[in-house]
Amino acid sequence: MSSLDLSRHKLQGPLINPTNGTIPMSKFILLGFSSLGQLSHNLLCALLSVAYTGTLAGNLCILWAVLQDPHLQRLPMYILLGNFSWLEICYVTATVPRMLSDLVSPGIPISFQACFVQFYFTFSMGATECFFLTAMAFDRYLAICHPLHYPILMCPKLCWALVASCWVSGFLWFIVPVALISQLSFCGSNTLDHFVCDPAPLLAASCTPAPRTEQVCYALSSLIIFTTVFFILASYGLVIRAVLRLPSGAKRHKAFSTCTSHLAVVGLFYGSVMVTYVKPAASGDIGKVVTLFYAVGTPLLNPLIYSLRNKEMKESLKRTLLREQ
């Protein structure tokens, strides 16, 4: 988008605030991938549409299989997986429709309230995903390292309590950063150099530097990423040690096969998140591409990984489809 086009969408703004001389903003403009040409815009829009449709279809299939199969509903692993699939559906829905709208009609403002609602939900669901991946690692640890006590330690009642704690903790984690940033004064240009309402461009649009708010955002992001990664790696370290002690090669292969899909999802998600929110150098178009990958790419790949690597899930999908015919 040219500077002339953007200038047409600049807000005229209300009266200047006499207390600090700033012009309060009621809307923002998400630049997205404004440096791309029209052909690249159309191609990206088509790819995002396909990815969004595929993500919805894949995760709905997993959710549908879990809801329709009484056997899977009794297994903690699939209770967690069903909730995880619903989370992925909500996650992409919070970002992709707005991205598609901005690609089709660039320069349409997003209200201050809508921007911070998107900020809160995207980061809350990202935090919830961290907690769910940790819970799934804990489930695999109990199933493989403590098989005799597993039915008691991870009974459906305790599993649903774990699910509830993941949702509640995730949606509480980023309340403070969202509240702090929403209280800042925004002035100057109302454009945000991103395709979502992210803390970095919001802090850059603030009238005055807010180092404490920035430190709180960085600290909470780093804390949830590194603590959950540490727990996941520790869980799978114990799992690998237990599996290597199994006398049968077939049993070792079966135990490893149940964990490879989860580890693949963990690697995809945390690898891209760390580049975005832990490594400051990931900025500009590179940061946008990495954010696009974990916001759109990983939710698309997750159902493929779980369904293709999980024999029980594939059989459940087949049974469900045959019943519907």
Side-chain angles (χ1 to χ4, degrees):
M1 186 188 302
S2 66
S3 58
L4 179 60
D5 292 331
L6 285 176
S7 64
R8 293 173 181 171
H9 293 281
K10 296 282 186 184
L11 299 176
Q12 297 300 320
L15 295 176
I16 295 178
N17 188 333
T19 59
N20 55 18
T22 63
I23 301 176
M25 289 185 184
S26 60
K27 295 181 181 179
F28 295 105
I29 294 175
L30 299 173
L31 290 181
F33 293 92
S34 57
S35 59
L36 297 178
Q38 186 61 41
L39 181 61
S40 299
H41 260 239
N42 294 338
L43 179 60
L44 181 59
C45 186
L47 290 175
L48 282 176
S49 300
V50 172
Y52 183 52
T53 304
T55 301
L56 294 181
N59 283 287
L60 282 172
C61 282
I62 291 178
L63 186 60
W64 181 51
V66 174
L67 292 174
Q68 293 295 318
D69 193 327
H71 173 64
L72 295 186
Q73 293 173 22
R74 294 191 296 269
L75 300 178
M77 175 176 153
Y78 294 99
I79 294 174
L80 292 168
L81 182 56
N83 278 270
F84 188 75
S85 294
W86 175 246
L87 173 65
E88 296 289 58
I89 292 169
C90 297
Y91 193 33
V92 294
T93 303
T95 55
V96 175
R98 176 70 205 195
M99 290 165 56
L100 291 172
S101 174
D102 288 334
L103 285 170
V104 173
S105 303
I108 296 179
I110 181 172
S111 70
F112 182 94
Q113 293 80 5
C115 184
F116 277 89
V117 167
Q118 187 193 58
F119 174 20
Y120 171 71
F121 276 98
T122 53
F123 272 72
S124 294
M125 286 185 282
T128 305
E129 183 158 349
C130 291
F131 288 124
F132 265 111
L133 290 173
T134 305
M136 292 164 81
F138 181 62
D139 173 70
R140 291 300 85 204
Y141 160 73
L142 291 178
I144 293 174
C145 297
H146 302 282
L148 297 179
H149 299 93
Y150 179 70
I152 300 173
L153 295 172
M154 192 60 83
C155 64
K157 184 178 179 180
L158 292 178
C159 181
W160 278 109
L162 183 61
V163 167
S165 67
C166 289
W167 283 106
V168 173
S169 300
F171 275 80
L172 291 177
W173 192 264
F174 280 104
I175 283 182
V176 172
V178 173
L180 289 175
I181 296 177
S182 67
Q183 297 303 312
L184 297 176
S185 297
F186 299 94
C187 55
S189 174
N190 66 330
T191 57
L192 302 179
D193 190 15
H194 215 297
F195 55 81
V196 292
C197 290
D198 194 78
L202 285 168
L203 288 168
S206 174
C207 299
T208 56
R212 289 187 179 180
T213 300
E214 189 172 355
Q215 289 170 4
V216 169
C217 292
Y218 181 80
L220 286 175
S221 298
S222 299
L223 181 62
I224 190 172
I225 290 170
F226 285 114
T227 53
T228 53
V229 163
F230 175 79
F231 191 93
I232 291 169
L233 292 179
S235 298
Y236 279 104
L238 295 172
V239 166
I240 291 172
R241 187 180 69 173
V243 170
L244 293 177
R245 291 177 178 176
L246 294 175
S248 170
K251 289 183 178 179
R252 286 198 297 269
H253 175 75
K254 182 180 179 180
F256 274 125
S257 66
T258 62
C259 301
T260 51
S261 57
H262 182 217
L263 284 173
V265 171
V266 167
L268 288 171
F269 178 75
Y270 279 100
S272 54
V273 167
M274 283 184 176
V275 171
T276 305
Y277 295 106
V278 177
K279 185 180 178 183
S283 59
D285 286 341
I286 296 177
K288 293 178 189 177
V289 171
V290 176
T291 304
L292 186 67
F293 178 75
Y294 82 76
V296 180
T298 53
L300 173 65
L301 295 174
N302 287 350
L304 295 176
I305 293 171
Y306 280 117
S307 60
L308 292 177
R309 297 287 301 175
N310 193 310
K311 182 179 179 181
E312 198 165 18
M313 177 57 68
K314 288 189 288 186
E315 291 177 351
S316 176
L317 285 170
K318 289 179 182 177
R319 288 196 302 269
T320 307
L321 289 172
L322 290 174
R323 278 203 308 267
E324 295 294 328
Q325 290 179 355

